[in-house]
Amino acid sequence: MTDVIVIGAGVCGTAVARELSKYKLSVMVLEKEEDVCVQTSKANSGIVHAGYDARPGTLMAELNVKGNRMMEELAQKLDIPFVRNGSLVISFEKTASELERLYEQGIRNGVEGMKILTGDEARAMEPNLSKEVKAALFAPTAGIVCPFELNYAFAENAAVNGVEFRFDTEVKNITKTGNGLELDTNQGVYRAGYVVNAAGVYADVLHNMVSGQKIRITPRKGEYMLLDRGVGGFVSHVIFQEPSKYGKGVLVTPTTHGNILLGPTACDIENREGTNTTAEGLSEVREKALRSLPGLPLDQVITSFAGLRAHEDGHEFIIGEAPDVKGFIDCAGIESPGLTSAPAIGLYVADLIAALAGPERNPQFIDTRTGILDPKKLSVKERNRLIRVKPEYGNIVCRCEMVSEGEIMDAIHRPVGARTLDGVKRRTRAGMGRCQSGFCSPKTMEILSREWKLAQSEIRKSGKASGIITGIVKEDRKEDSE
Ligand SMILES: Cc1cc2nc3c(=O)[nH]c(=O)nc-3n(C[C@H](O)[C@H](O)[C@H](O)COP(=O)(O)OP(=O)(O)OC[C@H]3O[C@@H](n4cnc5c(N)ncnc54)[C@H](O)[C@@H]3O)c2cc1C
């Protein structure tokens, strides 16, 4: 019997797990996929929202602003990239009434430092903005974070503090027992005193397995285009247009790694795995992004992708013990600003469980984590010294992003390490560049195969159904027959 089982290793589940590891509790994370950060947490805008969007008085508004305030210290402790670059909501209207509404809402939510600017003032900050922009809401507290690194950092730090992770473990059913909850999975039965439901777009399915008070989540797809780092200087702030009833609209933003991201669209769908992009979606992204910044270098698109928001009917975070199921804690309906709010959601859920279970604090809790060593951040002298001691740092595997074999080995061997090509890519950026892994994937496969002692035919791109090769056609068939 485990004290707490968290379902889902996205940014919310891992933030909760890390906060729970500050207590003397046994904590386990069950994840149906092969890794951390494989669903919504890997495909979003990476914006740390200031907090003027959410309705005042909601949990969404409270946790947005709180999460935003926590991000700086957390980024330092967990060694992840975070930049407070500020955002502009631009308006093409003569009257700035929507901006004023957002401003008032932001004030009520506790957002600091906002200002309504004229079009010219906004263009002075962002010279590539359209001449049609009449006004803008500037929010200096908005920022950008690397969504992958935030998720991995939570998971690694939780693991170092004793949290167990079980991958490829799908919860199929949940039942109440006399002293807790029983989870049927494809890997057997697990029992826990408390269960945290952080299952993203599946959170309603899990909630409805055990609670009579049903909730409904609709996957709301958002499609994106990513521009090459070569044009990274084109914008420096996060540029939003005025929001619509479907959300914050198409934005243009720099990323923490120097690319430019355009999107997302917003379209309700039924398929909870429907992360394909569409011609219509991408042309909407192009058209709307060009309205904000007409000179956008769209010939520099290197990839497109889509993510699914877990849109709950009431458009509110549902966080708390289900009223009719003792010990079942929902963390559901976590759509945007869920990434921003994740640190605050982790704290909120851990406080709730601590109040219910009364555990002691864990005096051994380690609250820092060191990210993957990036030789590019070292001086030439330091880099040379590193390569002398560990020659694998001198072997560049991904030429677009200049990622070395040493970084890939670090990504594989650290706590909750990478087991797939995508796992390596999100942790190190090998394959994230202009060639989109055309060059480095065979080399990364070799390293994965060598380090995990698996045949190359067993190396996956991501999950189970994503095998890359079926066998070796020329020479060296030995490893496959072993
Ligand atoms: C297009 C888009 C843009 C966004 N932009 C932003 C932004 O800029 N800023 C911001 O703050 N937020 C943003 N968000 C929201 C943010 O990305 C999400 O709120 C956040 O990632 C949700 O994290 P999660 O852990 O709840 O869900 P997920 O990351 O989806 O994790 C849930 C996990 O549960 C697992 N799971 C599901 N069912 C089971 C089961 N039965 N058994 C075991 N495991 C299971 C899944 O495999 C998954 O790994 C955006 C979202 C989208 C889609």
Side-chain angles (χ1 to χ4, degrees):
M1 176 100 163
T2 308
D3 291 328
V4 188
I5 287 183
V6 179
I7 305 172
V11 72
C12 293
T14 53
V16 168
R18 175 178 184 265
E19 283 298 332
L20 287 171
S21 70
K22 294 181 177 169
Y23 294 94
K24 286 189 177 171
L25 288 168
S26 55
V27 182
M28 189 183 281
V29 178
L30 303 184
E31 168 56 55
K32 74 178 168 65
E33 303 298 332
E34 78 292 348
D35 201 352
V36 169
C37 194
V38 287
Q39 291 213 325
T40 303
S41 300
K42 78 163 167 52
N44 54 61
S45 313
I47 309 301
V48 175
H49 291 288
Y52 48 74
D53 292 288
R55 225 169 43 242
T58 59
L59 198 53
M60 200 181 256
E62 180 191 326
L63 298 179
N64 180 158
V65 173
K66 193 167 175 188
N68 177 306
R69 288 186 187 142
M70 290 170 76
M71 205 58 86
E72 218 125 46
E73 190 184 335
L74 196 65
Q76 271 169 20
K77 283 189 173 161
L78 298 183
D79 195 13
I80 58 168
F82 165 62
V83 186
R84 211 177 270 293
N85 57 334
S87 66
L88 291 166
V89 183
I90 56 173
S91 171
F92 299 99
E93 307 297 325
K94 282 203 183 90
T95 60
S97 56
E98 180 58 12
L99 301 186
E100 275 155 20
R101 185 187 71 77
L102 291 174
Y103 178 87
E104 294 303 328
Q105 202 160 262
I107 296 290
R108 288 176 65 195
N109 291 346
V111 181
E112 286 142 9
M114 290 176 300
K115 250 199 243 171
I116 295 189
L117 309 176
T118 63
D120 285 340
E121 285 169 332
R123 272 182 293 276
M125 291 170 71
E126 275 300 344
N128 291 315
L129 269 189
S130 161
K131 304 257 179 302
E132 302 304 315
V133 171
K134 304 280 189 308
L137 172 66
F138 173 52
T141 57
I144 49 177
V145 70
C146 172
F148 317 131
E149 290 194 47
L150 180 61
N151 202 160
Y152 293 131
F154 279 142
E156 288 175 19
N157 193 231
V160 163
N161 286 299
V163 172
E164 274 185 64
F165 283 78
R166 298 283 160 87
F167 294 105
D168 300 315
T169 305
E170 180 171 358
V171 177
K172 303 264 194 192
N173 198 21
I174 307 173
T175 40
K176 297 185 232 180
T177 62
N179 58 349
L181 293 144
E182 195 170 276
L183 308 184
D184 285 324
T185 78
N186 58 334
Q187 308 281 357
V189 174
Y190 290 82
R191 290 180 188 85
Y194 295 87
V195 167
V196 177
N197 169 21
V201 287
Y202 291 92
D204 57 341
V205 176
L206 288 151
H207 171 100
N208 295 342
M209 281 175 187
V210 70
S211 170
Q213 301 193 9
K214 305 299 180 198
I215 60 171
R216 188 175 66 168
I217 285 173
T218 306
R220 181 168 286 176
K221 179 157 43 178
E223 299 184 38
Y224 289 96
M225 292 159 89
L226 186 74
L227 306 192
D228 188 43
R229 279 197 292 131
V231 291
F234 194 81
V235 277
S236 54
H237 299 84
V238 184
I239 313 291
F240 295 100
Q241 294 180 0
E242 289 177 324
S244 73
K245 73 171 182 152
Y246 281 106
K248 298 185 251 309
V250 169
L251 60 84
V252 179
T253 181
T255 70
T256 51
H257 292 283
N259 300 82
I260 292 184
L261 185 65
L262 326 176
T265 52
C267 174
D268 288 350
I269 60 170
E270 282 174 15
N271 180 1
R272 292 172 202 253
E273 301 290 330
T275 53
N276 58 308
T277 54
T278 62
E280 307 83 67
L282 296 179
S283 80
E284 182 187 334
V285 169
R286 258 191 305 268
E287 195 184 303
K288 291 192 170 159
L290 281 174
R291 188 164 188 222
S292 302
L293 297 132
L296 262 176
L298 289 181
D299 55 343
Q300 297 298 313
V301 172
I302 58 171
T303 190
S304 59
F305 61 92
L308 303 179
R309 305 166 183 89
H311 176 69
E312 186 272 324
D313 284 355
H315 186 48
E316 169 64 314
F317 293 165
I318 302 181
I319 307 179
E321 193 174 37
D324 56 343
V325 195
K326 205 166 162 286
F328 187 82
I329 317 290
D330 277 310
C331 201
I334 313 296
E335 57 184 309
S336 184
L339 184 73
T340 313
S341 310
I345 291 174
L347 196 59
Y348 188 93
V349 172
D351 282 352
L352 207 117
I353 292 177
L356 292 169
E360 279 177 49
R361 285 261 165 198
N362 170 11
Q364 261 110 44
F365 177 75
I366 300 163
D367 73 342
T368 55
R369 163 258 185 199
T370 308
I372 291 173
L373 171 66
D374 180 355
K376 292 189 288 304
K377 293 185 182 155
L378 303 177
S379 67
V380 174
K381 207 168 152 195
E382 287 167 331
R383 206 183 305 174
N384 287 343
R385 197 178 312 133
L386 173 71
I387 293 170
R388 266 198 303 280
V389 183
K390 296 185 173 175
E392 57 274 17
Y393 282 96
N395 179 20
I396 298 299
V397 174
C398 169
R399 291 185 187 171
C400 302
E401 297 289 316
M402 295 298 284
V403 181
S404 66
E405 181 177 356
E407 289 156 84
I408 295 174
M409 287 169 64
D410 186 352
I412 292 171
H413 292 297
R414 56 185 33 237
V416 207
R419 300 192 297 168
T420 61
L421 273 185
D422 280 356
V424 168
K425 173 170 153 180
R426 290 189 202 111
R427 284 170 176 87
T428 65
R429 298 189 55 76
M432 286 272 187
R434 178 173 269 260
C435 92
Q436 286 290 298
S437 83
F439 176 79
C440 63
S441 52
K443 288 183 181 290
T444 307
M445 281 176 71
E446 271 172 40
I447 300 169
L448 276 164
S449 142
R450 183 189 73 209
E451 298 300 313
W452 283 112
K453 298 187 176 36
L454 290 170
Q456 284 205 37
S457 53
E458 289 177 76
I459 304 299
R460 302 277 176 269
K461 181 177 184 302
S462 49
K464 289 176 246 12
S466 63
I468 302 160
I469 59 169
T470 53
I472 309 283
V473 283
K474 292 187 203 156
E475 65 194 38
D476 203 13
R477 296 183 61 95
K478 197 166 142 262
E479 64 161 8
D480 252 18
S481 58
E482 277 170 358

